[in-house]
Structure formats: C-alpha cells, structure tokens
Amino acid sequence: MTAHPPASPATVPLPAGFRAHAGSAGLREEGDDVVVVVNEGPAPASSAVFTRSLFAGPSVVLSRANAASGRARGLVVVAKNANVATGEQGMANAREVLDRAAASVGVPPEDLLIASTGVIGRQYPMDLLRTHLDGLAGAEFGSDALAVAAAMMTTDTHPKTSVREMTTTTGSTAQVVGVAKGVGMVEPDMATMIAVIFTDAAVEPGVLDAAFRAAVDDTFNCLSVDTDTSTSDTAIAFASGTAGEVAEDELRDALTAVCLDLTRQLARDGEGATKLLTVEVTGARDRDQAKRVAKAILNSPLVKTAVHGADPNWGRVAMAIGKCSDDTDIDPERVTIVFGDLETYPAFPGEAELERLTEIMRAEEVTIAVDLGVTGGADGSGDGSAGGSCTVYGCDLTREYIAINADYTT
C-alpha cells in the first residue's frame, strides 16, 4: 500500500501584507529552488526557533542573530543545498545570499532571515545564486503559498500548506497560512525542518513568540521520521498586522492547528512512508516522561516495521516502553496498551483479536495508545488517574526509505 498525496488547490494565497517569489536558479534539474518572501505590513513581528545541532549551518547562525529583534521582515530559502560544514567560505556565501536577497526586496540584510535545505558539505553554487537574486530587483512578486512550499521541497512528494481563519477584535477576518518541507532527517530539537507560518493579525513580538513556541513544542517537536536531527531545522512565524488584533487564545489555537496539520502532513510523507503512525501516552508522571516513552515507541525500528507490514506483534510496544529503564516508577502491571480501539495488554488477545489487530494495522493511519498508570508520587504510587500526557507523530519504516537514503547523493 502506498500513501497518496492529497489533492492540492491551484493556489493558496498568503495573508495580506506578504509578497513572495519562488523561482529556479538551477540548483535542481527542474522546478523552483529559491524563495524570497517579504513582510510589508504596517506592524511586522516575528518569532523563530532553530536546531540545537552542534553542526548548525551558517543559515541558522545568521538567522538566530537577525531573529533576536522579533521584527524580522522576510526570508530567503535555498533548496537542494544545506550549506553546512562548509567553513568560512560557507559563512561568507550565506552572508552574500542574504545581502543580495535583502537588496532585491529593499530591506536591510539584518531584517531578513535565511534557511537552507539539502546536501551537507557542499558550497553554494554562487554564480547561479548571484544571477538569480540580482535579477529579482524590480521583479513582480506574487502571493502564492503553494508555490513557496513547492520550491522548498527536497525529497518531499508534494508541497505542504495549511490555512486557518481567526476573528479579529473588531469582527473582521484574519488568516494564518503555513508551509513546510522535510520528510527525512526528521527528529526536531527546538524546531522543525523548514516551516514558515504567516498571519496578517496584529500582534506584539513577545505575544507571537510565546504562542508560536508553545505551538512548536506540541507539534513539530513531537514529530519523528527517523530519529535524526537536521543541522538546518528552522521554524518561523511572521505577522504583518494588516488585519488587526486578535485575542491571544485565538492566535494560539490557530497557530497550533496549522502547525499540527503540517506536522501530520510531514509525518505521512516521511521518506518512503506508507502510513501515519500516532502514539498517545497518558497517565505519566509528567509530560516529559510521557513524551520520552512515546518517542521510544515511535522511533523503534521494530515497531515501525511491524506497522509497515501490519504484523500484529504488539509485544514490540511493550519492549519499547521497557527500554525506558531509568523511569523506575513505570510498573508493567499498571500499563495498558491499545491499538485503535483494541486493547492488547494486559488483555492478552487471542487468535480472533490478533486477526482484528492485523486489520487495524493495515489502515493508512495507525494509532497506538498507552496508559502508564503512573501518578505524581516519586514511588509511582497511585491509580494512574492523573499525570502527564503527550501525542507524537511519525511513520512506518519501509524498503523505500533505505533506497532513498542509500543513494541520496549518487
């Protein structure tokens, strides 16, 4: 069974206040590979989170500095080349790309962020990028988020966008539009592959930052395809202020909804994936424990391959929980494991139940729910009725994943 990309609309308009370019500099054989987006709204605000990788690339280093003001006005994205582990020359090249992109949209370089995605250890093809970026001065920019998402792709099979509406305090409508890419080297640590969220709401940088970081923590940071954290992970939110103010809780809910939708799309499109795998852990001591156990299940190659083959080997989930040996307050006698709506532990399913479990695992989305039965006591005492919870998102592990990554640069 192969997952099919969802039908895409012809265009997905960006919110008011944003204009964007997506074009081909020749970095890939066909299709767009460079994005430049500028925020021309009356009250620009921004928030950004980045990879914690020790090998973070120049794009991340430069963007961290420029994002600190909370007033970044735009972004340039270069696809097919991560520009990571490229030394002083790589840093100089990233600065030049940032300078030329900023000049093309008429903003100071320090007001622009940069993101890169692709192969590590290769210098930018600067002649191609110089020619393309210099040709943008005076060029007509559009407002299509779908084109932006498509130009950012690497091994993605389709562009990923998400849209939500909010009501402003004066009763008008504000938009939140998100784009994302990345289906391999995905175990976000403080951010995601590349995700950019745009809104025309008027919001102060501090409010936007708090809402966006909370959304990222519950969505992108709960995503894993292959346990590997990218050197280039970048997640950004821009607000233009064109549509007016919205309530903070409405902003938070809309940002979280868009980020969650993109997270599920990224997981479903994981390299070689055929199934979306969701793991829900409840009854933990706290959220950290719940997330740790959920990720242990989600990232287990044995669980992922069982899901791929619809093998009703529920014991692999018990194994994955058992790996969390430092969590001594987890008592197997209090744990419950459920696939879909079928309890597999401690129910000990018979042959009929195992056949039903096989059918559950043949679906394009498989949900595994685990209740740890732990409460707040340090000794693990209690009935499991309270405690932390976390839901994480990933995919199955397939032969196609191996084929993609065995031949990635050749």
Side-chain angles (χ1 to χ4, degrees):
M1 178 174 57
T2 301
H4 300 288
S8 296
T11 62
V12 177
L14 288 167
F18 296 95
R19 61 187 179 99
H21 160 80
S24 174
L27 279 71
R28 61 170 111 235
E29 291 183 3
E30 59 181 39
D32 294 339
D33 46 35
V34 173
V35 168
V36 181
V37 184
V38 62
N39 180 355
E40 297 181 327
S46 64
S47 172
V49 287
F50 304 95
T51 183
R52 292 171 62 184
S53 169
L54 298 177
F55 259 95
S59 296
V60 169
V61 174
L62 292 174
S63 290
R64 276 192 186 128
N66 289 359
S69 69
R71 296 288 186 184
R73 294 189 65 97
L75 170 72
V76 55
V77 182
V78 177
K80 297 302 290 182
N81 186 310
N83 188 31
V84 169
T86 49
E88 294 182 3
Q89 186 61 55
M91 179 61 76
N93 289 341
R95 289 186 188 277
E96 183 178 347
V97 168
L98 197 61
D99 288 346
R100 290 176 184 268
S104 75
V105 294
V107 301
E110 59 269 22
D111 288 351
L112 205 65
L113 308 183
I114 179 172
S116 296
T117 174
V119 178
I120 292 171
R122 295 183 181 176
Q123 298 288 348
Y124 278 152
M126 289 304 296
D127 288 344
L128 294 176
L129 289 171
R130 289 184 185 112
T131 298
H132 186 79
L133 292 172
D134 290 351
L136 295 183
E140 184 176 348
F141 277 44
S143 61
D144 185 7
L146 191 63
V148 171
M152 298 194 315
M153 296 193 308
T154 47
T155 54
D156 303 64
T157 65
H158 60 277
K160 298 162 185 69
T161 64
S162 183
V163 179
R164 295 294 187 278
E165 290 187 347
M166 300 178 291
T167 301
T168 69
T169 54
T170 60
S172 61
T173 298
Q175 295 271 330
V176 177
V177 177
V179 300
K181 62 78 53 187
V183 292
M185 197 185 292
V186 179
E187 171 80 62
D189 188 1
M190 293 303 292
T192 186
M193 302 53 56
I194 295 179
V196 191
I197 314 300
F198 307 92
T199 180
D200 50 10
V203 54
E204 286 300 311
V207 174
L208 178 63
D209 188 62
F212 185 56
R213 288 178 182 272
V216 166
D217 197 40
D218 283 341
T219 59
F220 297 132
N221 274 345
C222 290
L223 167 66
S224 181
V225 169
D226 48 20
T227 81
D228 287 331
T229 296
S230 170
T231 57
S232 305
D233 286 349
T234 299
I236 305 167
F238 292 109
S240 70
T242 304
E245 296 182 359
V246 298
E248 290 185 22
D249 58 346
E250 185 154 8
L251 175 69
R252 183 179 60 251
D253 290 347
L255 287 174
T256 300
V258 166
C259 291
L260 179 57
D261 186 12
L262 292 172
T263 295
R264 289 172 59 85
Q265 290 184 53
L266 291 166
R268 191 181 291 277
D269 195 32
E271 287 180 339
T274 66
K275 300 177 183 180
L276 172 64
L277 174 57
T278 301
V279 179
E280 305 169 352
V281 172
T282 57
R285 177 178 66 251
D286 51 34
R287 186 178 184 278
D288 287 343
Q289 183 183 55
K291 185 175 182 180
R292 186 163 51 250
V293 173
K295 282 288 190 77
I297 298 166
L298 185 77
N299 286 330
S300 165
L302 292 179
V303 172
K304 290 161 72 72
T305 50
V307 169
H308 175 63
D311 180 5
N313 193 348
W314 60 267
R316 291 180 173 180
V317 173
M319 172 278 300
I321 299 169
K323 288 193 300 183
C324 301
S325 54
D326 289 339
D327 290 280
T328 55
D329 52 350
I330 296 176
D331 182 350
E333 293 187 2
R334 294 197 181 108
V335 171
T336 302
I337 301 171
V338 177
F339 284 70
D341 60 354
L342 177 66
E343 181 180 313
T344 61
Y345 179 84
F348 301 112
E351 289 301 318
E353 288 78 16
L354 289 177
E355 289 182 11
R356 182 159 170 256
L357 177 56
T358 299
E359 291 303 312
I360 290 172
M361 296 178 69
R362 282 180 177 150
E364 291 192 358
E365 179 172 350
V366 176
T367 299
I368 300 171
V370 172
D371 191 299
L372 295 179
V374 177
T375 55
D379 61 355
S381 60
D383 62 3
S385 59
S389 63
C390 185
T391 301
V392 297
Y393 308 89
C395 58
D396 54 342
L397 179 59
T398 69
R399 295 172 179 85
E400 182 63 18
Y401 175 87
I402 297 170
I404 290 169
N405 287 287
D407 302 322
Y408 189 74
T409 64
T410 55

